[in-house]
Amino acid sequence: MIAPWRMPEFFNRFKGRQCLFDYAKAHDIPLPVTPKSPWSMDANLMHVSYESGILENPATIAPEDIYTMTQDPKKAPFTPERIEIKFKRGIPIQVKNLEDGTVETCPLLLFQYLNKVGSRNGIGRIDIVENRFIGMKSRGIYETPAGTILYHAHLDIEAFTMDKEVRKLKQMLSAKFAEQVYNGMWYSPEAEFTLSCIRTSQECVAGSVTLSLYKGQVYIQARESPLSLYNQELVSMDVQGDYDPVDAGGFIRVNALRLREHRRVQNQMDIPLP
């Protein structure tokens, strides 16, 4: 990998971005940015990121024309666009537009289509200050339309199908895996272990989620799954089901033991109540 900013012969010659602008102009090298729009831009299938230039001051509001991937939410359609995403083992396998019937199942085309519908509805913009690997903070602006839609849909189908305690562990592992990937540790043994655990957690994450896309927001409207842990009779206020309300009394008394002991010790120490 060639990384010019780490090479003395490069950074000693070019002291900053203006030197690079001057060099490109002198050698007729086209650039996606200009001195009037002096920010760095990196784009791929997943997202577009912007940083540097005027964005280095976190108090500076980003100009409206910085965004290249998404429609301004204020200018997005006034009619919500409804889609349905199907998952199998946590992986999106189909997206269907419930307005015009468009269906995509190929992973690449599915993601590109979500980028398209997310873009026209202003989905996926974020302006954050993040912590880099070595500890310094940096300000970045991101556009991630498809990723944002899938994130919300996946969280919802997870909550519908995954055991409560398993989901708690998976959420902790997700944060750890995100850190490992961000820090460039994708091929590390710890990342391989974390990813294997996450994959195991997804075995029962299957079903479909209905979403509404409207002016920069993703709204979850419905979900269904053959592997759902949701038991309508068990939680119904109209049908008792297999749950005996009398059991709640014993549950409360058992859990209160710890709290009563905590209060007894506080009383002995004359600790005032909060």
Side-chain angles (χ1 to χ4, degrees):
M1 178 184 293
I2 299 176
W5 285 114
R6 296 204 303 260
M7 302 165 59
E9 59 268 33
F10 180 88
F11 62 70
N12 286 331
R13 179 176 179 182
F14 300 103
K15 303 298 183 181
R17 293 172 61 83
Q18 188 56 53
C19 294
L20 295 174
F21 283 128
D22 295 339
Y23 181 88
K25 182 178 180 181
H27 294 81
D28 294 322
I29 300 174
L31 296 176
V33 294
T34 67
K36 292 184 179 180
S37 303
W39 45 75
S40 173
M41 179 177 67
D42 295 303
N44 54 39
L45 178 66
M46 183 74 173
H47 81 306
V48 181
S49 63
Y50 311 88
E51 60 181 6
S52 191
I54 62 173
L55 302 179
E56 290 181 350
N57 181 354
T60 299
I61 298 176
E64 288 296 329
D65 62 353
I66 193 174
Y67 299 99
T68 61
M69 196 174 186
T70 57
Q71 168 88 291
D72 183 343
K74 296 190 295 292
K75 299 178 182 178
F78 281 91
T79 302
E81 189 165 6
R82 294 191 311 128
I83 62 173
E84 179 188 73
I85 301 176
K86 291 185 178 180
F87 291 87
K88 182 177 182 180
R89 293 185 176 178
I91 304 295
I93 59 171
Q94 176 182 294
V95 59
K96 179 178 181 180
N97 190 310
L98 300 178
E99 308 299 337
D100 61 20
T102 300
V103 175
E104 296 291 355
T105 57
C106 167
L108 175 59
L109 296 181
L110 183 155
F111 200 88
Q112 289 177 325
Y113 183 73
L114 288 177
N115 269 336
K116 180 180 178 181
V117 296
S119 173
R120 66 182 175 228
N121 286 284
I123 306 294
R125 294 184 177 188
I126 187 172
D127 185 326
I128 62 173
V129 173
E130 58 195 273
N131 294 303
R132 292 185 179 175
F133 189 6
I134 59 175
M136 68 174 68
K137 294 185 182 292
S138 64
R139 189 258 191 107
I141 295 176
Y142 297 87
E143 295 179 274
T144 317
T148 300
I149 295 170
L150 287 173
Y151 172 77
H152 287 287
H154 184 261
L155 279 182
D156 189 78
I157 199 67
E158 264 195 349
F160 197 46
T161 58
M162 190 179 287
D163 175 78
K164 181 187 77 168
E165 296 302 322
V166 173
R167 189 162 188 254
K168 286 180 182 178
L169 292 172
K170 188 268 175 178
Q171 287 176 314
M172 290 189 291
L173 288 171
S174 293
K176 178 55 68 175
F177 186 63
E179 178 185 341
Q180 291 163 349
V181 174
Y182 185 89
N183 292 342
M185 299 298 176
W186 180 272
Y187 295 106
S188 66
E190 63 270 26
E192 291 178 358
F193 172 78
T194 307
L195 184 56
S196 70
C197 294
I198 292 175
R199 283 174 173 158
T200 299
S201 76
Q202 300 297 296
E203 290 179 353
C204 294
V205 180
S208 62
V209 180
T210 301
L211 312 93
S212 174
L213 312 179
Y214 183 66
K215 289 191 171 294
Q217 297 295 320
V218 178
Y219 298 97
I220 304 294
Q221 293 189 318
R223 78 286 294 157
E224 60 181 352
S225 170
L227 302 178
S228 169
L229 292 176
Y230 184 91
N231 186 328
Q232 187 170 346
E233 286 192 1
L234 191 61
V235 300
S236 174
M237 293 185 178
D238 298 317
V239 180
Q240 182 169 325
D242 294 331
Y243 172 70
D244 187 347
V246 175
D247 293 341
F251 175 81
I252 293 171
R253 285 191 293 272
V254 169
N255 278 275
L257 287 174
R258 179 178 64 92
L259 305 180
R260 286 203 300 266
E261 285 301 291
H262 173 66
R263 182 57 60 198
R264 178 181 64 80
V265 172
Q266 284 193 320
N267 290 339
Q268 290 177 350
M269 299 173 63
D270 291 327
I271 298 176
L273 295 176

